[in-house]
Amino acid sequence: MVDIFQEVEEDLKRERTEALWRKYGKYVIGTAAVIVLGVAGREGWKTYEHSTSIENGTRLANAVELANAGEDKQDAALEALDAIIAEGNAGFVALGHFQKAAVYLRAGATPSAVTELEAVAGNSDIDQVYRDLAVVQIAMNSANESNAQELITRLEPIAVPENTWYYSAREMIALLHIAAGEIDAAKPLLTEIADDNEAPSGMRARASELLKAVGA
């Protein structure tokens, strides 16, 4: 009889965990394309300003314009971005992959987007800030119960205060713990985010809401 009650309790816990992941994990994933576009645009302009390759900067701007011009221009945008990746320097290569990932995310082609992000994360010639962002984006767009621990391991070196993506990485680690059914491991991370006045306000609000949802 004890075993039956234990099994029911585990089933309820699993259902609760899955419901939390569906509600909050997907929200974070939904912001992935926005983050990619915003950061790639900002960093791309900085690269454009400081690079001697004015031609590459112009080509990137044109490719981004195509990417934002509608579905019928997406193939042309991908082709233009491929050319930038093939011929550009490391900074433009990263931006090309990020923009391709954004195009694929908008089209619902998540595996293709993750492939583009992995190309950034695994390229040692690319600046670390881009590579770290790619890892965060990979986690946001490929997380599930089966790969949660692997992704946590990849995010842990990024989840340090001196890293640009510190808060995003910590929030994602907390969500991955939830995805894996490790609620107790997620609680202290969420508490730290909720109580950190330096954290983005939206992230703090999500952390507070999640803490209420898990009964903290």
Side-chain angles (χ1 to χ4, degrees):
M1 186 67 68
V2 174
D3 290 341
I4 292 175
F5 282 122
Q6 183 176 355
E7 183 176 341
V8 170
E9 182 178 353
E10 289 178 354
D11 286 343
L12 289 172
K13 181 179 178 181
R14 187 179 303 109
E15 289 178 6
R16 183 187 184 196
T17 297
E18 290 174 354
L20 286 169
W21 173 249
R22 284 196 299 271
K23 182 175 181 180
Y24 295 97
K26 298 302 181 185
Y27 175 83
V28 175
I29 289 170
T31 67
V34 176
I35 294 173
V36 168
L37 286 170
V39 174
R42 183 176 66 252
E43 296 298 329
W45 180 247
K46 287 162 61 179
T47 301
Y48 176 84
E49 286 187 312
H50 293 94
S51 174
T52 57
S53 182
I54 302 301
E55 181 182 356
N56 275 336
T58 302
R59 291 168 66 196
L60 176 64
N62 291 338
V64 172
E65 186 176 350
L66 281 171
N68 293 328
E71 292 183 10
D72 60 329
K73 300 293 185 180
Q74 298 310 289
D75 287 344
L78 291 171
E79 184 177 343
L81 291 167
D82 279 335
I84 291 169
I85 291 168
E87 301 174 19
N89 61 31
F92 284 105
V93 167
L95 293 170
H97 283 299
F98 276 126
Q99 289 294 342
K100 284 189 69 179
V103 171
Y104 285 130
L105 286 172
R106 284 198 297 267
T110 301
S112 295
V114 171
T115 296
E116 298 299 328
L117 295 168
E118 288 286 7
V120 177
N123 188 338
S124 60
D125 291 331
I126 291 175
D127 191 281
Q128 193 67 48
V129 68
Y130 292 106
R131 295 167 64 191
D132 288 346
L133 173 60
V135 172
V136 173
Q137 292 293 305
I138 289 163
M140 286 180 174
N141 289 283
S142 65
N144 56 57
E145 183 178 357
S146 65
N147 68 1
Q149 188 53 58
E150 175 190 346
L151 291 172
I152 288 171
T153 299
R154 295 182 71 178
L155 287 167
E156 282 175 341
I158 302 170
V160 293
E162 59 270 23
N163 194 287
T164 301
W165 313 112
Y166 168 62
Y167 291 112
S168 296
R170 287 183 71 76
E171 181 182 38
M172 197 63 226
I173 288 173
L175 288 166
L176 286 164
H177 280 304
I178 290 173
E182 300 166 349
I183 302 297
D184 289 340
K187 287 180 180 180
L189 292 171
L190 293 169
T191 300
E192 289 176 11
I193 294 170
D195 293 343
D196 189 341
N197 291 329
E198 298 298 320
S201 59
M203 194 176 292
R204 293 178 63 197
R206 283 197 301 273
S208 296
E209 190 174 350
L210 265 170
L211 285 167
K212 292 177 184 177
V214 299

